[in-house]
């Protein structure tokens, strides 16, 4: 009998400070940066985002999301035997945010590591956890996406600073003889490093290069709409299912126009697409588990339904996970 991995609990957390477009536009105007609610809504669909307080790190956001997921699954932190955190905004250069989170959870002993695939990070992390569960290396994993992107934004660059937010999402993934994750498909193409990156790094005790987010938005947009369709189709083919079998598309929440385009290509009406970008902005690796948890708690996503999760981001990285919830 095939050993599957199944999501048995979801959780998320948003830091309390919420900025609507109007709030952000006013803050930016005070610094001489001109933008508008109309531009942001029309080009991205974003209406609000959350920013973490200075003392809150990714592990703190991840901790709250993890606690919520563990409670939903009815699993104690001590019973987790694998922790993977997807983040591009780790607490420290090292050790991993996963190790820090493990300690905050009081779950010493199990393996804990980070996955760095930017906005595809949660899809990568879920794929790795699924493989480890299928092979018997783990039986009960905690998979978290946690980001404080507000820390790496250049608030003088209106082309990027209006797009991102902070937050965390988590799932408990357990071994089961019932499906489960049906298929995964992940990719990277490093030749596109320059279109979405934070080029700064630490050397000799100094930060060298520019430690803020740089993005060629149009180049990312064009690549994203192509690869998201490919990854979705690849997982459907592996699972011998078709678009018609998808109950919910839960894409990375970067831009409503990218989601609309993907849905069109997969012949899915928008009422089968979970959309949280309007309230969360782009929270990178946290966006998919945040959207999943929001949809579960709103009663949209139900047991037994077929979900297509997919992400795309810096690297360039992309991928999809098709699962039975
Ligand atoms: O999470 C990883 C994946 N990331 C993404 O998926 C992001 C993908 N890219 C996008 O979502 C879109 O490309 C953006 C939302 C970033 C930009 O939308 P766009 O429709 O591609 O706009 P654009 O870059 O072509 O800019 C159009 C105009 C420009 O002015 P001109 O040159 O036409 O006069 C920009 O200077 O909009 C201007 N602009 C702004 N205006 C007001 C750019 N940012 C702003 C702003 N407020 N915040």
């Amino acid at each position: 009998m095939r050993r599957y991995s199944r999501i048995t609990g979801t959780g998320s957390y948003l830091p309390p400070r919420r900025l609507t477009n109007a709030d952000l536009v006013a803050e930016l105007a005070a610094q001489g940066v001109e933008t508008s609610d109309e531009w942001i809504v029309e080009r991205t669909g974003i209406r609000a985002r959350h920013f973490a307080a200075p003392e809150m790190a990714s592990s703190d956001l991840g901790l709250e999301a993890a606690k919520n997921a563990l409670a939903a699954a009815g699993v104690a932190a001590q019973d987790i035997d694998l922790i993977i955190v997807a983040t591009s905004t780790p607490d420290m250069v090292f050790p991993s945010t996963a190790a820090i989170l493990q300690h905050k959870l009081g779950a010493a002993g199990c393996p804990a590591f980070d996955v760095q695939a930017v906005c595809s990070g949660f899809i990568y992390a879920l794929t790795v956890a699924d493989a480890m569960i299928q092979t018997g290396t783990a039986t009960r994993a905690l998979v978290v996406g946690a980001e404080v992107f507000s820390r790496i934004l250049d608030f003088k660059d209106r082309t990027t600073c209006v797009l991102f937010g902070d937050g965390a999402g988590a799932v408990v993934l357990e071994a089961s003889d019932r499906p489960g994750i049906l298929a995964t498909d992940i990719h990277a193409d490093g030749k596109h490093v320059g279109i979405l990156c934070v080029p700064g790094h630490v050397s000799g005790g100094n930060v060298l290069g520019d430690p803020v987010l740089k993005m060629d938005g149009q180049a990312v947009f064009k690549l994203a709409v192509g690869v998201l369709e490919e990854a979705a189709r690849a997982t459907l083919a592996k699972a011998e299912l078709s678009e018609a079998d998808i109950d919910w598309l839960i894409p990375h929440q970067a831009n409503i126009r990218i989601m609309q385009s993907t849905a069109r290509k997969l012949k899915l009406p928008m009422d089968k697409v979970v959309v949280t970008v309007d309230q969360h902005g782009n929270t990178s690796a946290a966006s998919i588990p945040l959207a999943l948890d929001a949809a579960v708690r709103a009663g949209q996503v139900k047991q037994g339904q077929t979900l297509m999760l997919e992400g795309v981001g810096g690297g360039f990285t992309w991928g999809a996970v098709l699962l039975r919830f």
Side-chain angles (χ1 to χ4, degrees):
M1 188 183 290
R2 180 173 162 185
R3 182 177 156 106
Y4 287 97
S5 70
R6 283 191 64 232
I7 293 178
T8 55
T10 67
S12 62
Y13 179 74
L14 291 160
R17 185 167 174 239
R18 178 176 182 268
L19 283 94
T20 63
N21 286 348
D23 298 330
L24 186 61
V25 167
E27 280 195 13
L28 292 172
Q31 298 167 43
V33 176
E34 197 189 317
T35 182
S36 66
D37 174 50
E38 294 72 33
W39 189 95
I40 301 169
V41 171
E42 187 187 309
R43 301 289 175 131
T44 72
I46 298 167
R47 293 179 186 276
R49 75 287 292 141
H50 291 246
F51 285 162
E55 65 278 8
M56 287 203 95
S58 286
S59 66
D60 297 308
L61 306 185
L63 176 65
E64 299 307 321
K67 283 188 202 160
N68 291 335
L70 289 165
V75 167
Q78 296 74 16
D79 294 331
I80 289 294
D81 62 7
L82 170 67
I83 299 175
I84 308 181
V85 175
T87 187
S88 301
T89 47
D91 293 20
M92 302 181 187
V93 172
F94 71 78
S96 69
T97 301
I100 298 167
L101 173 65
Q102 183 203 50
H103 180 61
K104 288 180 177 172
L105 275 170
C110 70
F113 59 91
D114 289 359
V115 161
Q116 219 294 29
V118 202
C119 303
S120 312
F122 187 74
I123 296 296
Y124 267 61
L126 212 48
T127 299
V128 173
D130 173 54
M132 289 178 74
I133 286 176
Q134 279 193 56
T135 56
T137 310
T139 47
R140 199 171 284 127
L142 177 66
V143 185
V144 180
E147 302 278 18
V148 283
F149 254 55
S150 60
R151 307 278 158 79
I152 53 165
L153 296 178
D154 175 358
F155 285 96
K156 295 245 172 300
D157 177 6
R158 68 176 185 174
T159 69
T160 54
C161 72
V162 300
L163 305 176
F164 295 89
D166 302 339
V171 300
V172 174
L173 196 67
E174 297 191 62
S176 173
D177 51 14
R178 276 198 296 142
I181 290 184
L182 303 171
T184 61
D185 187 67
I186 53 173
H187 300 272
D189 186 349
K191 80 167 171 278
H192 300 295
V193 151
I195 64 172
L196 179 49
C197 59
V198 177
H201 59 281
V202 177
S203 177
N206 299 306
V207 176
L208 300 187
D210 211 349
V212 288
L213 186 145
K214 311 278 178 197
M215 179 168 73
D216 177 346
Q218 287 198 2
V220 173
F221 194 105
K222 278 185 204 137
L223 275 171
V225 292
V227 297
L228 286 172
E229 183 191 8
E230 277 171 33
R233 291 201 184 284
T235 54
L236 287 170
K238 287 179 193 177
E240 297 178 355
L241 294 177
S242 78
E243 305 105 309
D245 296 309
I246 300 171
D247 292 303
W248 289 102
L249 175 66
I250 309 183
H252 170 48
Q253 308 282 316
N255 187 321
I256 189 70
R257 293 185 289 139
I258 296 177
M259 291 185 247
Q260 288 163 339
S261 160
T262 308
R264 235 181 348 260
K265 288 178 178 200
L266 295 175
K267 300 188 187 70
L268 293 173
M270 278 308 284
D271 60 13
K272 285 193 168 188
V273 183
V274 174
V275 176
T276 53
V277 71
D278 54 331
Q279 294 305 316
H280 302 168
N282 181 345
T283 57
S284 190
S287 93
I288 295 169
L290 260 166
L292 170 63
D293 186 52
V296 169
R297 285 173 197 267
Q300 291 176 289
V301 166
K302 296 187 182 68
Q303 290 277 321
Q305 288 188 323
T306 302
L307 314 185
M308 173 71 75
L309 276 45
E310 52 175 3
V312 59
F316 209 66
T317 56
W318 66 97
V321 172
L322 181 67
L323 63 91
R324 183 99 5 99
F325 190 70

